[in-house]
Amino acid sequence: MNDSMAVAPMGEMMSPPPEGGSYPTLEAVQKAVLRYCTSVGYAIVIGRSKKTVPGLKKVLFVCDRAGKPPSRVSPEFRKRKTSSRKCDCPFGFFAIEQRTQWTIRYRPDPSHLQHNHGPSESPSNHPAARKLDSKMVAAVKQLKDNGAGVSETLQILQTDNPDCHLLPRDIYNARAAINRNPQKVATGLAENRPAIYTKPQPSPEDRIRSDLRRELAKAREDLKKVEDEKQKEIDDLKAKLVEKDKIIEKFEMFIDICNQRVMVQRERLAGGHEGGAAGSSTG
């Protein structure tokens, strides 16, 4: 079912999504690049994120097969028949938050635009392409309450959300989660938050205000730092002046001592000369 509804490739197989672009939110970036990537044979997930110097986000998207596979467990100790799709794929690119938009940037090393594996057979092979948002989970609950079966629910959701390549087990898992915590469905629908966010995204105006406050605080810190440095320079100069005054005072004392010695020596010489003159007269 998913294969028949799959869209045609949006580019060359295993190619990265086009660089650049303008997206209003990180969610919009993720939806757009996931749609592109699954159409050309792979899927992406968020690897890590950090804030740039102005306080904006820089999010790394990586292939869903990135990372090393976990250590194997002996079959006799394995509880379930599971396998890992990870193969340490190096593919990845950045989503850069700007003041009023998001854009895509490639990593400097071109090797990160290549995969170390072949394309997948179907988008439904990727868990990242089969995630249900809060509205879809609410739809699963509503259809279940109305008596719809898994196949009918799957068909309706797939028709309404062609970019989400669901499998029957995804519907079963959603139903099980709803049974465990029905209240969570209403909470998620009320908040309507994308799964990749931990808090509501600020508006462009809020970002600009936040940037201005941050820049003002930084300017104040820089001014305080300059004032502290200037005060330190003044204190250092004062200390040097005090030290020079001490040196001058010692030098003046040395000059005084030298002058006293010169005067004493002159008196001695004068006394010796007078004594010699008196002896000559007596003779």
Side-chain angles (χ1 to χ4, degrees), residues 22-29 97 100-102 197 201-202 204 207:
S22 175
Y23 305 89
T25 63
L26 179 58
E27 181 192 13
V29 177
E97 183 183 19
T100 58
Q101 65 175 6
W102 288 77
Y197 283 117
Q201 186 188 20
R207 285 203 202 102

Side-chain angles (χ1 to χ4, degrees), residues 24-42:
T25 63
L26 179 58
E27 181 192 13
V29 177
Q30 188 182 40
K31 285 185 176 180
V33 297
L34 188 59
R35 185 185 307 115
Y36 179 93
C37 296
T38 52
S39 76
V40 295
Y42 65 98

Side-chain angles (χ1 to χ4, degrees), residues 74-113:
S74 300
E76 60 269 20
F77 296 107
R78 189 175 300 166
K79 294 182 179 180
R80 294 188 301 170
K81 292 183 178 181
T82 60
S83 61
S84 174
R85 300 179 62 255
K86 294 184 180 297
C87 61
D88 205 18
C89 180
F91 179 86
F93 57 88
F94 289 112
I96 307 294
E97 183 183 19
Q98 299 173 338
R99 290 184 181 274
T100 58
Q101 65 175 6
W102 288 77
T103 190
I104 296 173
R105 289 286 181 269
Y106 293 159
R107 301 174 76 175
D109 187 348
S111 66
H112 289 297
L113 295 180

